[in-house]
Amino acid sequence: MIDEALGDPRLRQTLKRRHMTMIALGGVIGAGLFVGSRVVIQSAGPAASIYFLLTGLLVVLVIRMLGELATALPAAGSFYEYSRLALGDLAGFVTGWMYWYFWVGVVAFEAIAGADLIRFWLPQFPQWLLALALLLIMTGTNLRSVRMYGEFEFWFASIKVGAIVVFLVLGTLYVVGLWFGQGPHFANLTAHGGFAPHGLLPIFTGAVAATGFYFGAEIVTIAAAESAEPAAAIARATTSVITRVLVFYIGSIVLVVAIVPWDSPAIKTPYVSALAAIGVPAAANIMNAVILTAVLSALNSGLYVSSRMLLALTRHGDAPKLLARVNRHGTPVRAILAGTVVGFAAVLMSYLSPDAVFPFLVNSNGTVALFVYLLIALSELRLRRRLERESPERIVLRMWLFPWLTCLAIAAMVGILAAMAFIPDQRVPVAAGLASLAISVVLFWARRLRFPGRTGPEAGQSPR
């Protein structure tokens, strides 16, 4: 079973080392850090840094597990294939489709967010038109070739990383008193009600939202199938996740609440307010441009990764084989267009069904992300043992303290999902996530009844 062919000869290995490095970096730094962090800060106060630390450590463990599998078994479709190998066809089907569903939702959310950001400068244009324009631009980028996706993501990620680094430097200088005589401001970490003004409960209740901020770190393991050196790229990316989590997320959140009191009305725009307090001119315009870059990066990655997951699903008949066709550049055109069409349909739902369909998409995404990470951990637990029996030489990058940390991560994720059912604000997201899971299971059995025994690469592939 371990020796099953996991590659996809239809894809082109044209992504370079610099592309893979910035895809990994950009995958962690999303618009959620710049915008969504305000929700975390308002609910937990300065203790939001602990909130991100705990969730970040959990994500680090999952990515380490995935890195172990991806270096031992480089696969087009990554954890979709690992779920099939470890847990069976149903787990693979659910993992692949829920992951596709997550990213198609991201495409819609980011198109809407990007349109709103552009309206900051061009308010005369309607939101739906700007969202459509962004979708078409990013679709065109992905249709050209995987190399074009890599180039765009390289520059988008470079801007995001550069912005965070500049903020960390300026913020640190300001807080320690080396920026025009200001500071120190560490008193803000314990003033205004204390370090955890609302107690410990908010630190744990927001774990799902924080997990969603980190979601995207796993993209590099999918992109590795189109890299010239997949194992090396994955090893570098997964081992550097720890530094990115500690420095980019926790470091910047600590600086924000040190510069701007957590209970200040200005915290509604955390990074803009922090830059304004430091004295950076045109802070709102600068951060609007940076956040727009983060949004475009997420939109670009959403179209890319959803199309590759859909292509992987066709290998075993889990998706219609007509979506398997690729052009001469190795680009799955139909799979990309499917993501664009469904993404824009979700944008339309934000207008046509603002109180039903679109809120369901928004509420279910965080829980869906947690389900996918849970399936990755369960797959690693089983495949690691199988690899040790059959091909121990393939295990180059090892999960720390296996199986104890793997089991701890699984228990933590199950605990988060269970706790959500008892937290009023989280009951709707967990219900929406469970509904998405149930729909995936029903679709799997409907497919089985319609095509009994249909599995294997021959079921889903089609010629170019």
Side-chain angles (χ1 to χ4, degrees), residues 29-31 34 117 121 156 159-164 271 275 283-297:
I29 307 170
F34 299 110
L117 291 167
W121 296 300
F156 286 151
I159 293 171
K160 290 190 291 185
V161 171
I164 287 292
Y271 288 84
L275 287 176
N285 281 285
I286 292 172
M287 282 311 302
N288 200 66
V290 171
I291 296 170
L292 179 59
T293 300
V295 164
L296 292 176
S297 172

Side-chain angles (χ1 to χ4, degrees), residues 42 260-270 273:
Q42 288 175 328
V260 182
W262 73 269
D263 56 352
S264 168
I267 207 68
K268 291 181 179 179
T269 54
S273 300

